Amino acid sequence: MKDAFGAPQSLLVLGGTSAIGLATARRLIARRARTVWLAGRPSPALAEAADSLRALGADVRVVPFDALDPESHAERLGKVFTEGDIDLVLLAFGVPGDQARDESDPLAAVRVAQTNYTGAVSAGLVCAQALQAQGHGSLVVLSSVAGERARRADFVYGSSKAGLDAFTQGLGDALYGTGVHVMVVRPGSVRARASARASARAKASGAEGPVSEGPVSEGSASEGPVEAALATTPEAVATAIELGLRRRSETVWVPGALRVVMTAVRHMPRPLFRRLPM
Amino acid sequence: MLRPRTPEEAVAAVLSYGHGARGAIARGLGRAHGDAAQNAGGTVLDLTGLTRIRAVDAVAGLVVCDAGVGLHRLTQALLPLGWCVPVAPATRHVTVGGAVATDVHGANHPAAGSFSRHVVSLDLLTADGQVHTAVPGMPLFDATTGGLGLTGAILSVTLRLLPVETALMRVDTERATGFDDLLARFTAPCHRHRHTVARVDLLARGAATGRAVLVRADHAPYDALPPRVRRTPLALRPGGLPGGLPGSAGVAALLDGLRSRAGRPGTGRPLPLAAFLHPRDGLLRGHGRRGGFVRYEVAVGDGQEEALRRVVGRIAARGRAAGPGVLKRFGEAGPGLLSFPPAGPGWGFAVDLPASSGGLGRFLDELDEEIAAAGGRVRLAEDARLRPGLVAAMYPGLGEFRELRAALDPGAVFVSDLARRLGL
Ligand SMILES: Cc1cc2nc3c(=O)[nH]c(=O)nc-3n(C[C@H](O)[C@H](O)[C@H](O)COP(=O)(O)OP(=O)(O)OC[C@H]3O[C@@H](n4cnc5c(N)ncnc54)[C@H](O)[C@@H]3O)c2cc1C
């Protein structure tokens, strides 16, 4: 059960090597969290992530999970819930894709969509059902500012997040009043720190790599000025998630200033938007 | 949420709904501040539909009543007969079942003990649909009194009452200038009052930390009544009184307003019984998580006054308390395995803190460590945030409680959010 301040005792991170997922888990372990399930494709990085959380004193278990295999979700994730209540499900998997390649290779683009959207629809619904049966708990979904308006630079990724975002909002409305809380988190571009780079490296080494929301931008030269100003870190996102849980927020922007900026961006005429350096 | 209106309906509800995946828990008027009477995803048995006062023995001073009867109604029924509920929490909007299940205490704990000490027997509906009668001395009784509804649903209670001559209290107030003065006055041997409670000014810091108003009271004997009230000595008076007695607003100010004129020291002031016993009913309704406040209620045994001083001092220094703290004295505890008052004589302190004030969770965790190190405890019935690892140290009876519960209810039919959160 969560305590009076919304601090969960048990959590399930879908995307067990995600920098944001792990930063959030670390933060919550420092509060009340004792049981952490890390769901992801079995890999050395996943095992390493589990060990790093164990070192903080949590009871960490790993469950094999592949976003691209929706048929397995009900059984794999269902099993987690039979072992005990889950107070927080953090849906943190996703791939950034490679816009240039994805545009020229439709199947690669489809894989991005299937991971970020289709996989999340299936895993999200499986967990939502289990949470509803429990009658309590939060489902926190990592969307992205990129989903607010498709940009030339990453519209394959952005459109998958747009779909995920709309799906999560609808799910939140569907679960309203059931005791289950659904929260959409929209981070700006996430600047990688050491931990995130490690997972990026792991991603590069494995054939497909663990499916997890790694760094979307690493502060490369391609980063526009608006984006740079509104960049964030996994730790900042984790802080915002903890606060959102306490407040039972439905939407969280990180950094918070994005809410205003994106309202302006959303209503910008397309010819102007196209020329925006971002 | 089910609301049975007869014991038979309650049995049927437990047998048909309680055995679902998420179990069931009894609820009275839902006045516990934490999640003791909540059961996410499962069944809540609202027992306020069981409202019969079955028998009153006005000679021996015994009442047999359903668990859903409120203390307010019980008092209304009994006072004209010259009997009073022996232990009263600061609100009268609680049920008899809730009072037993959380083993409530009042300002008269040293003299009277907690609620369950006055329970002659109780009928408990267990997970198998059977109704057991438990009397003092039985393990089932010890597990159920203060057992937070986790042994089953209490259906009815036989309660021993306190004889009173009038419906008034004679109240003395005095001021304490600081923590040491407060404790000294509390335990001063010259006072023989049945009830004593102190309202601690949590705005006072430094040397003034612990500054408080002590309120002492006894049931007023007939002879002490003002002449105008003598014709109806046992009439229940919730608010204003004839004869220049303060109305409910004045009472609240007297009991709670530390700097108000009414809070000035005085002796022999007569107050309506309900107004003294249940001061919080005159105040703001919002409470618990729902009202945006977290209640923090702790107890330490005698000899651990320094820990108490640090806790009170830290809460005062933080400066966010919503109103004064309440300090009470505890006497010997009853047998309840999870009852709050600690084994021997000691102190109880309670305060409301706004949940939104930043870092409150961490702050209270630190206080918990302090209390636990002093052999003290946090009150489970009011809790919504304790770290589960501390419960066993705070409640030595927990092991025995768990064993009994496992034998009585192997399927854990009776379960609450509190029990899940703390692993009771
Ligand atoms: C303003 C205020 C002041 C208070 N002051 C005091 C005080 O001075 N001293 C004190 O001791 N307490 C005090 N309390 C706490 C309150 O008295 C207890 O929490 C009491 O248990 C609430 O009774 P209820 O009927 O509302 O029970 P609920 O809040 O509904 O339930 C409390 C617990 O009792 C169990 N329960 C209720 N009915 C039954 C039943 N029939 N069978 C089995 N289990 C049952 C529930 O499962 C739950 O675990 C105060 C509370 C408030 C709001």
Side-chain angles (χ1 to χ4, degrees), chain A residues 170-221:
Chain A
L171 188 61
D173 291 338
L175 293 184
Y176 188 81
T178 62
V180 179
H181 160 226
V182 178
M183 180 164 96
V184 185
V185 181
R186 298 191 190 122
S189 67
V190 177
R191 248 188 241 278
R193 288 246 181 100
S195 58
R197 282 213 195 87
S199 82
R201 256 200 318 279
K203 192 174 299 173
S205 64
E208 282 287 316
V211 183
S212 66
E213 190 67 82
V216 172
S217 106
E218 283 211 52
S220 62

Side-chain angles (χ1 to χ4, degrees), chain B residues 31-378:
Chain B
R31 284 304 197 276
H33 292 82
D35 46 13
Q38 294 175 16
N39 182 22
T43 303
V44 171
L45 286 179
D46 174 352
L47 291 180
T48 56
L50 301 182
T51 56
R52 281 181 55 196
I53 298 179
R54 292 175 178 263
V56 181
D57 182 337
V59 180
L62 288 171
V63 61
V64 186
C65 69
D66 284 354
V69 174
L71 290 190
H72 177 53
R73 232 193 92 220
L74 204 55
T75 308
Q76 271 179 335
L78 296 171
L79 206 54
L81 303 173
W83 296 98
C84 162
V85 174
V87 167
T91 172
R92 71 203 128 140
H93 301 295
V94 307
T95 61
V96 170
V100 174
T102 60
D103 200 10
V104 298
H105 58 268
N108 58 351
H109 195 275
S114 49
F115 198 86
S116 304
R117 186 188 290 183
H118 307 273
V119 172
V120 179
S121 84
L122 59 85
D123 280 354
L124 181 74
L125 165 60
T126 50
D128 52 9
Q130 305 285 323
V131 179
H132 303 262
T133 299
V135 298
M138 284 170 62
L140 186 59
F141 187 88
D142 300 349
T144 301
T145 54
L148 302 162
L150 297 174
T151 56
I154 300 163
L155 295 181
S156 71
V157 173
T158 304
L159 190 66
R160 189 176 299 110
L161 303 163
L162 182 79
V164 290
E165 287 181 24
T166 72
L168 293 183
M169 304 291 288
R170 206 162 48 173
V171 179
D172 297 349
T173 50
E174 60 186 278
R175 283 170 173 256
T177 55
F179 193 78
D180 293 327
D181 188 32
L182 172 61
L183 297 197
R185 283 173 189 272
F186 232 111
T187 46
C190 56
H191 290 287
R192 284 278 163 265
H193 292 78
R194 196 173 168 82
H195 303 263
T196 309
V197 58
R199 276 156 233 271
V200 183
D201 182 356
L202 292 172
L203 298 173
R205 320 248 169 96
T209 302
R211 184 169 70 194
V213 173
L214 269 96
V215 186
R216 302 174 188 280
D218 276 312
H219 294 277
Y222 181 77
D223 300 341
L225 293 194
R228 280 203 196 164
V229 190
R230 285 198 184 179
R231 273 189 306 166
T232 52
L234 286 165
L236 183 69
R237 299 177 170 85
L241 273 182
L245 299 179
S248 61
V251 169
L254 169 68
L255 294 175
D256 245 77
L258 290 154
R259 280 167 309 279
S260 70
R261 281 158 50 86
R264 261 195 268 149
T267 50
R269 225 188 287 247
L271 274 186
L273 185 138
F276 171 78
L277 291 179
H278 312 292
R280 303 222 359 213
D281 288 344
L283 302 175
L284 74 172
R285 279 268 172 271
H287 58 266
R289 301 162 77 172
R290 288 147 286 179
F293 292 99
V294 171
R295 188 156 184 83
Y296 191 60
E297 183 161 11
V298 295
V300 296
D302 274 1
Q304 297 297 339
E305 286 77 5
E306 279 314 303
L308 187 64
R309 178 206 300 275
R310 279 194 297 274
V311 165
V312 173
R314 289 187 63 181
I315 291 172
R318 200 164 182 273
R320 301 274 177 77
V326 174
L327 185 71
K328 283 180 194 152
R329 182 93 182 115
F330 286 139
E332 289 299 328
L337 292 173
L338 294 188
S339 286
F340 172 62
W347 303 92
F349 180 76
V351 62
D352 285 326
L353 300 161
S356 58
S357 82
L360 183 61
R362 257 174 234 275
F363 175 72
L364 293 181
D365 285 348
E366 287 169 24
L367 297 192
D368 289 347
E369 299 287 345
E370 181 103 44
I371 292 291
R377 46 181 54 180
V378 167

Side-chain angles (χ1 to χ4, degrees), chain A residues 12-39:
Chain A
L12 165 61
V13 182
L14 301 177
T17 52
S18 142
I20 292 176
L22 292 174
T24 306
R26 281 195 297 273
R27 212 182 155 82
L28 295 176
I29 290 169
R31 300 286 298 124
R32 277 286 181 276
R34 282 293 154 264
T35 312
V36 181
W37 288 87
L38 290 183

